[in-house]
């Protein structure tokens, strides 16, 4: 029995680690460009399914970039920008690529001072060369620029995509979380980029929507095996507290994004998020209110703890799908989450069957070893035994 519980513990632990590891596919490394263009570094940017390739000559303060992204519509636009004074869109110095009136691709520069209509203008850096290509629904923006501040090796980058162009002027982009999170910092020499506020929202949502179910599976099934005590308890606490911490961070990010996108409201997603935050906060207090196993109130505590836990899992899964509807990511993300939840459900059903078998065998074993009370093979104490 001990060996089976140890194998089950190891299996769940490895499953937990594999599900929580934020898999980042380095798809930029497989991209190639016409004209034998080569770059020193590349990064998969954390939002809008975008990619950046670059090479930096520190002696000349020259930065060569290739920005790859798919516009929402074939007649849309893509943009990559540097913000020399802040981290957001306002103040950014942008390169925007789109199809001109003659059907060819063009790249223009814009000083983004506000969210109003754009006007082509000079920017903070010098543009030595720029061009763009469109194929397969993807725009590739190429440029070589000279940064005015020599020795500056880290810049604030902003990237964006838009659905349309009217009269040679890019129209307003969407204000979805993926659009608002399209910013971060770029280390030109180390080849590293970091996300702005909100980070990689897809990974956070996936982890949050998986950690709570895994924590419940650990608590429900590992505790059946005495040899798994107290390991199951600490694994359970780790999963639930980690999920709560990520959830609070996501909740705070949602509040910030909401304040930045006035007029854009997702009531159902927001209300479920508030309910989840309240339920999860009360659930965390269960650690402080947990009575001992033999306490008379332990039965009622179990009802409260289990009930809140299952409500959080159900609402959490629903809200993840609400988030998918809002972000509208590639179908692979929704499908991957469905597969993960289905796998966890299958594991839970399998472990449920195993647990019942173990419990029933244990019960049968305890009954078979129980001494008879005043009886001997069905005969009473006063009945004379045959000689």
């Amino acid at each position: 029995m001990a060996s089976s519980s140890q194998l089950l513990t190891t299996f769940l632990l490895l499953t937990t680690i594999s599900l929580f590891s934020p898999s980042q596919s380095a798809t930029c490394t497989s991209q190639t460009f016409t004209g034998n263009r080569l770059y020193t570094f590349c990064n998969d940017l954390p939002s809008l399914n975008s990619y950046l390739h670059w090479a930096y000559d520190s002696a000349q303060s020259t930065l060569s970039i290739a920005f790859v992204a798919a516009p929402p519509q074939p007649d849309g636009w893509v943009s990559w920008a540097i913000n020399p004074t802040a981290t957001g869109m306002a103040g950014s110095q942008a390169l925007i690529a789109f199809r001109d009136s003659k059907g060819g691709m063009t790249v223009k520069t814009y000083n983004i001072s506000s969210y109003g209509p754009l006007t082509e203008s000079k920017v903070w850096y010098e543009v030595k060369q720029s061009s763009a290509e469109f194929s397969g629904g993807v725009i590739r923006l190429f440029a070589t620029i000279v940064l005015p501040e020599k020795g500056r090796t880290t810049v604030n980058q902003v990237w964006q995509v838009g659905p349309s162009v009217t009269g040679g002027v890019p129209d307003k982009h969407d204000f979805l979380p993926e659009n608002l999170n399209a910013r971060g910092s770029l280390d030109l020499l180390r080849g590293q980029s970091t996300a702005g506020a909100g980070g990689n929202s897809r990974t956070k949502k996936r982890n949050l929507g998986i950690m709570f179910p895994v924590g419940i599976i650990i608590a429900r099934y590992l505790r059946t095996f005495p040899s798994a005590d107290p390991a199951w308890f600490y694994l359970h606490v780790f999963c639930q507290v980690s999920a709560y911490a990520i959830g609070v961070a996501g909740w705070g990010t949602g509040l910030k994004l909401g304040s930045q996108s006035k007029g854009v409201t997702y009531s159902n997603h927001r209300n479920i998020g508030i309910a989840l935050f309240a339920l999860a906060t009360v659930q965390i207090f269960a650690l402080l209110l947990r009575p001992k196993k033999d306490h008379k109130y332990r039965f009622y505590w179990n009802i409260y703890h289990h009930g809140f836990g299952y409500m959080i899992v159900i609402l959490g899964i629903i809200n993840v799908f609400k988030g998918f509807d809002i972000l509208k990511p590639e179908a692979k993300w929704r499908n991957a989450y469905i597969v993960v939840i289905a796998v966890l459900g299958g594991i839970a059903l399998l472990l449920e069957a195993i647990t019942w078998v173990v419990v029933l065998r244990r019960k049968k074993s305890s009954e078979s070893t129980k001494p008879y009370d005043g009886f001997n093979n069905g005969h009473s104490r006063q009945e004379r035994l045959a000689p």
Side-chain angles (χ1 to χ4, degrees):
M1 188 70 68
S3 61
S4 61
S5 66
Q6 290 170 355
L7 288 173
L8 185 58
T9 303
T10 304
F11 169 73
L12 283 174
L13 182 59
L14 292 175
T15 302
T16 301
I17 293 172
S18 65
L19 290 174
F20 296 162
S21 299
S23 57
Q24 301 293 330
S25 56
T27 54
C28 70
T29 58
S30 62
Q31 295 173 342
T32 58
F33 305 106
T34 59
N36 197 29
R37 294 183 175 95
L38 299 175
Y39 299 90
T40 309
F41 304 108
C42 78
N43 275 169
D44 297 349
L45 300 176
S47 63
L48 299 176
N49 297 313
S50 305
Y51 311 91
L52 180 69
H53 303 249
W54 78 94
Y56 180 60
D57 184 345
S58 58
Q60 301 295 325
S61 194
T62 302
L63 176 64
S64 298
I65 65 106
F67 175 69
V68 182
Q73 301 294 333
D75 293 329
W77 54 267
V78 305
S79 170
W80 184 82
I82 291 177
N83 193 328
T85 58
T87 59
M89 178 66 73
S92 61
Q93 312 295 293
L95 294 162
I96 303 183
F98 54 89
R99 195 185 303 276
D100 60 23
S101 58
K102 297 180 181 180
M105 296 301 297
T106 185
V107 178
K108 296 185 178 181
T109 57
Y110 297 86
N111 182 350
I112 312 295
S113 57
S114 66
Y115 285 100
L118 297 180
T119 302
E120 185 178 5
S121 59
K122 291 184 177 181
V123 289
W124 172 70
Y125 45 79
E126 176 190 352
V127 181
K128 295 184 65 176
Q129 178 274 333
S130 65
S131 62
E133 299 173 353
F134 181 84
S135 64
V138 173
I139 294 178
R140 298 166 185 84
L141 188 163
F142 304 101
T144 300
I145 64 177
V146 180
L147 302 180
E149 298 178 2
K150 286 191 176 183
R152 182 169 185 166
T153 60
T154 302
V155 296
N156 297 319
Q157 65 171 335
V158 183
W159 62 98
Q160 197 56 255
V161 298
S164 58
V165 177
T166 303
V169 178
D171 293 324
K172 185 186 301 183
H173 61 76
D174 292 331
F175 284 82
L176 299 174
E178 283 274 285
N179 298 89
L180 299 176
N181 282 337
R183 55 196 176 97
S185 64
L186 182 67
D187 191 316
L188 302 176
L189 292 181
R190 295 183 180 180
Q192 299 173 347
S193 65
T194 58
N200 191 332
S201 59
R202 293 178 295 200
T203 301
K204 286 186 176 180
K205 286 181 174 60
R206 183 194 66 180
N207 287 350
L208 178 59
I210 294 172
M211 276 184 163
F212 263 114
V214 170
I216 288 179
I217 289 174
I218 289 172
R220 175 158 179 80
Y221 301 113
L222 280 187
R223 65 188 303 172
T224 305
F225 303 96
S227 60
D229 193 17
W232 72 264
F233 177 74
Y234 294 120
L235 282 173
H236 174 66
V237 171
F238 168 76
C239 289
Q240 307 308 75
V241 172
S242 298
Y244 179 74
I246 294 174
V248 170
W251 190 64
T253 300
L255 293 177
K256 181 172 180 59
L257 291 176
S259 66
Q260 292 177 344
S261 53
K262 298 184 184 301
V264 181
T265 304
Y266 302 100
S267 299
N268 292 335
H269 186 66
R270 179 192 62 192
N271 294 337
I272 295 176
I274 293 173
L276 280 170
F277 174 73
L279 289 171
T281 300
V282 174
Q283 185 74 322
I284 288 297
F285 278 105
L287 292 173
L288 305 176
L289 302 174
R290 181 171 177 254
K292 295 182 179 180
K293 292 182 180 180
D294 56 352
H295 196 281
K296 63 179 180 179
Y297 291 125
R298 180 61 179 259
F299 173 76
Y300 303 103
W301 181 89
N302 285 338
I303 294 176
Y304 136 70
H305 186 57
H306 298 167
F308 273 47
Y310 289 124
M311 281 193 291
I312 289 170
V313 168
I314 293 171
L315 288 177
I317 292 174
I318 292 173
N319 221 28
V320 167
F321 284 106
K322 292 285 185 184
F324 283 138
D325 292 336
I326 293 170
L327 292 175
K328 295 180 175 60
E330 293 182 51
K332 65 180 181 180
W333 295 104
R334 180 189 289 267
N335 294 338
Y337 184 69
I338 292 173
V339 169
V340 170
I341 292 300
V343 169
L344 289 177
I347 292 173
L349 289 176
L350 176 62
L351 293 179
E352 185 74 23
I354 294 174
T355 300
W356 274 104
V357 170
V358 171
V359 171
L360 292 176
R361 284 182 177 177
R362 191 178 294 165
K363 183 178 180 181
K364 185 177 179 180
S365 175
S366 64
E367 288 178 351
S368 64
T369 57
K370 189 175 181 180
Y372 290 106
D373 185 13
F375 293 89
N376 184 11
N377 292 328
H379 299 280
S380 68
R381 288 178 180 175
Q382 296 180 356
E383 184 179 354
R384 293 183 59 185
L385 299 177

